[in-house]
Amino acid sequence: MKQTVKIFSNLKIVFLLLAIVCATTASAQDSLNVQDTHRKKVGVVLSGGGAKGAAHVSALRLIEEAGIPIDVITGTSIGSIVAGLYANGYSCDQLDSLFRTQDWQLLLTNSSSRMDKSFAQREWEDKYILNARISDRKNIIPGGILSGDAVMNLLNRLTADLPDSIDFTTQLNIPYGCVAMDVVSGEEIDFVSGNLAKAIRASMSIPGVFEPVRTDQYVLVDGGVINNYPVDLAKSLGADIIIGVTFKQDPPTLESIKNVGDVLSALVTDLSDKKYVPNVAQTDLQIDVDVHGLGAASFTEDAIDSLFVYGEIAAKAKLPQLIELRKSLGLPDTTLSSISRSLPPYKQKKKSKTPVRGGTLSVSSRIDSEELASLLLGAKYQSGRRLFPKVEMEIRLGKRSYGKAAFSISPTTDWQIGGSYRYSYYEMRLYHNGMYTTDLNYHEHLIHAGVSKYWHDMKVELGANFQSRRYKDLYISPEWAEPVPRKKENLLIYFADLQYDDQDSEVYPEKGMKGGARLEYLTDDGAHYENGHGLMQLGIHYEHAIPLGKGFTLLPSVYGRSIPSDNQSLGNRNMIGGVGTMGHYISQQLPFAGVWRLQVVGNHLGIVGLTGRKRIGKNHNIFAVANYAKDANQLSRFLKETNRVGASLGYGYKTLVGPIEGQVSWSNTTSAVSFFLNIGFMF
């Protein structure tokens, strides 16, 4: 009994001691909380500057390492992007990764990801360098060359977990604000609530470059025009102490203005100086980054790497002041870190229930060692009226010049009924077994009518083409023993066509499949050909991009075309030439490594190919292509006659204006080594 009383007595002492410790700890914690509650709030302000904004990430990391809490964060333009994502919980490491891994060529063009586009969009946009949208309300370009769709899609993805409208000062991890300018009133618009992605997109809408963000009240452009360094906004959100990140800017000179980015940077600096100087005066600690001549458009891989380093150097130079600031706030000597969150996975954009209204002006150009220079101009407009009528026009200038006008209606998103007229003039040399045999120069009138059914990655079309050709200046080599074209040729061709394409890029795809089949019935009077039955023609193609890791892609391919053995039309014969350029010169041309100029081959043709491609960095590509083909004029002799082999080795650099590409190749068809240079998208 005495032992039991003693145990309880000891337990009382233990509990008493624990209570005293807990009370003391709570008292100390309350004291710290009171101290933290009453300490001055720190605001971080990130200025605009385009690509230079990569330095913001390094500066934020150093502020964290100095142990300084960020209570408010504001920004303009690129600063609004970094600040907004940071306020939403993205860590400095994740922001670093976003800068390094983004396809800036995609983000700074008029397109969204190819996987987000409809099949019809891909058909149009893959061949153009620039696609400028036309407003669906007024027949004018809506204030910017680029729509900014790709940037908006990225911002939507990175903020997908947020409601459509929130209070930026209470519903984000850190109170946040950003700046835009209303073009109508010329006034500054400060965003502290609303849709986060849309607010950021408005803040970075460079005038004349990106389409403004329109609301019921405003037409919004880049806030850098009026307030490129929004210290006053941070103050209004409760910041007592300001840490600012800016970029050293020398006065513009004749030598310093080298591109559009430099011009816009100079204009923004001049216009925003009225607020910049007093805002700098309110800054307690300014991290002014020397970007060593890099500009707002310096989005190359090497430039981004350098900007991270320059931001770190500038922030480290201020580390003693940052430590003093931390001490003045009464904070312990610890390293803070932002809350890290997972990056959301890519999600394909849902297809709209109605066709996209409005229009597009498009332009493309290319240079190659065969056709020299070519220019392609396009325009299309789709009305929002009943049946969504659409008009398209294209003009190509070069050795294969044409003009085309098309009209269609869309009873639903998936169906299209339409027709077109195209006038073309072709100047081509044909070769046979490596020997120059024929000049194929002709005028062509093509009237097309068809009904199409679209899916996101597939298109099926049924229709008919009336094709009228007038040949001129025909040269036929004495060695040519095949049928020659008549001076005039009128054909009515019925067709069924299926196309599939889910590849991730029109240039150097790394995943996805592209393929199709086309069946044609060729007549010269609507039912017969040369007083006999019509000619049945079948063509197929297939290519599959298979990623094998670390930038390596394997692309097996199959091409084939079969036409009747009694075909008498030279303009309809099977032809080979080029790598991955099906139908480049003429619709029945199939690609074949080692052959560039058009080679006429047998009526029954099959090609298998294999391409191996290695991507180095983001834009450098080396590749090797091997082809094997069989062809014969008689199907019964297909396996017994010609064996064709070809190979090509090349290098390509992916740019905004298409690939810059050189290839060295050989084939037993030409029995010669050849070189081909191309700059620009194929069209």
Side-chain angles (χ1 to χ4, degrees), residues 30 102 119 153 204 255 369 394 413 427 473 521 533 614 624:
D30 289 342
Q102 287 312 304
F119 193 95
N153 288 340
M204 50 77 62
E255 293 76 19
S369 51
E394 278 190 326
T413 305
E427 291 181 352
D473 302 329
Y521 188 74
H533 56 78
K614 171 65 176 177

Side-chain angles (χ1 to χ4, degrees), residues 385-403:
R385 296 184 178 183
R386 186 183 179 189
L387 297 180
F388 302 97
K390 179 170 66 175
V391 177
E392 296 181 358
M393 297 185 69
E394 278 190 326
I395 297 174
R396 186 190 196 278
L397 302 176
K399 287 189 175 181
R400 296 177 294 115
S401 299
Y402 69 78

Side-chain angles (χ1 to χ4, degrees), residues 552-555 610-614 622-625:
F552 186 77
T553 306
L554 197 65
L555 296 100
L610 185 65
T611 299
R613 186 177 64 243
K614 171 65 176 177
I622 55 174
F623 53 89
V625 185

Side-chain angles (χ1 to χ4, degrees), residues 177-249:
C178 65
V179 176
M181 189 189 84
D182 176 29
V183 176
V184 177
S185 65
E187 295 179 353
E188 176 180 334
I189 305 299
D190 295 336
F191 283 99
V192 293
S193 64
N195 182 281
L196 181 61
K198 192 171 183 179
I200 295 173
R201 170 66 179 81
S203 183
M204 50 77 62
S205 301
I206 302 171
V209 177
F210 285 109
E211 181 180 337
V213 171
R214 297 173 182 268
T215 70
D216 293 337
Q217 297 174 287
Y218 309 117
V219 178
L220 300 166
V221 297
D222 195 315
V225 175
I226 196 167
N227 190 357
N228 199 40
Y229 179 52
V231 171
D232 51 338
L233 176 57
K235 289 278 190 181
S236 71
L237 295 180
D240 303 300
I241 297 172
I242 299 295
I243 301 173
V245 186
T246 57
F247 305 106
K248 288 186 178 179
Q249 296 181 0

